[in-house]
Amino acid sequence: MSLARVACRVVGLWLAAGVAVSASRTAASLNDQSGASLLAERTRLALGVTQAKLRSVILSGYSEGGRYSDLTGKLRPGQVPVEFRLLLPDSYVRIDQPNGAVIRRGVSEGRPILSQEAVGPGAYVSPAVPTPDLLPFARSDLFRLAVGLFAVEQFGTERANVTARGSATLEFTGLANRVLLDVDSRSGLPRRARYKQLVVMAESIQRTLGISLAEDGSDEVAMEYSDRVVVDGVSLPRVWQRVVSGAKLERITLTTIRINPPLSARDFRF
């Protein structure tokens, strides 16, 4: 066999191997996408959001363990009324009412929401201005809530990329965020949502909790869901437990759940 024919044969084998590897990688990618699609669809079916054609939600209850004293490093006792409004695909607000004040944080139609006002006698709060630099943080809150509770993929004109991480975890990437949604293998319902977030906490509080937080925002935050109830065909957890480095921080307990209430953009203007 001539050297030219040998060279051609070697090149042919190399090309064939390259095609085989490429085909193998393509098949693996398609399998990953297919697995993610099936798991995501199973999760949404278990949640009931597909049948209910989820458009809006109002959730209200109270928050505990979210307020620590920077002076003593200890938890301030008491419950703080809290409400969450979600109007898909792009509006969200959280409303807290601590000690005669009302604090609103969120995003609507691409604009950040931030307002503080005193509503009780003797209460005082400093004014708040929703500057544009708050928008990424507000969009992160929207993304984490909507993915964690409802496995939402569409956010305004943007669509999250969803991939499978094993057989019981979905990875949602979008709005410059990444959320890992751990799903119960039997029920298909979300157990918790995990994401990286900068947690600002005084050293005295960290010592009380027995943790040491990173300064670069690399700590993993987990929102654990429990005590589920079905309302108008949609499954929702009544208890959300926020955990950072093994320490249990804020705990949300819902007392009222409304599915598809008549919300509009006006309900997010403050």
Side-chain angles (χ1 to χ4, degrees), residues 149-230:
L149 294 182
F150 307 113
V152 171
E153 293 185 27
Q154 192 69 43
F155 296 87
T157 58
E158 297 185 49
R159 188 174 184 85
N161 181 54
V162 184
T163 57
R165 295 275 298 268
S167 61
T169 298
L170 288 166
E171 179 180 310
F172 289 75
T173 306
L175 305 189
N177 280 267
R178 184 175 72 100
V179 172
L180 297 176
L181 191 64
D182 296 324
V183 177
D184 182 81
S185 58
R186 292 187 177 181
S187 67
L189 293 167
R191 296 186 298 108
R192 65 181 176 181
R194 294 179 286 136
Y195 47 87
K196 296 292 180 66
Q197 182 183 25
L198 176 63
V199 181
V200 180
M201 186 181 294
E203 291 185 3
S204 58
I205 300 173
Q206 295 184 45
R207 286 194 298 270
T208 299
L209 296 173
I211 61 176
S212 179
L213 299 177
E215 296 181 356
D216 59 358
S218 60
D219 287 301
E220 182 177 83
V221 177
M223 188 68 81
E224 300 176 347
Y225 306 116
S226 60
D227 191 19
R228 284 190 171 272
V229 63
V230 176

Side-chain angles (χ1 to χ4, degrees), residues 17-131:
V19 169
V21 170
S22 177
S24 176
R25 288 177 178 172
T26 301
S29 176
L30 289 174
N31 288 336
D32 289 344
Q33 292 175 0
S34 176
S37 298
L38 289 173
L39 183 56
E41 183 61 23
R42 180 180 179 234
T43 299
R44 280 188 285 270
L45 286 172
L47 287 168
V49 297
T50 303
Q51 300 92 322
K53 297 182 179 179
L54 188 70
R55 299 179 301 276
S56 59
V57 179
I58 296 179
L59 310 171
S60 59
Y62 55 88
S63 165
E64 299 173 284
R67 299 182 304 150
Y68 287 81
S69 169
D70 289 342
L71 295 176
T72 66
K74 296 182 180 180
L75 175 67
R76 295 173 180 171
Q79 300 174 346
V80 176
V82 63
E83 177 182 309
F84 300 87
R85 298 177 190 172
L86 177 64
L87 177 61
L88 295 173
D90 59 5
S91 295
Y92 153 83
V93 68
R94 170 175 173 160
I95 306 172
D96 292 87
Q97 300 183 53
N99 303 325
V102 177
I103 303 173
R104 306 177 183 93
R105 294 165 291 173
V107 60
S108 180
E109 299 179 324
R111 296 187 300 272
I113 297 169
L114 179 62
S115 74
Q116 300 182 157
E117 61 178 302
V119 295
Y124 172 79
V125 294
S126 57
V129 179
T131 55

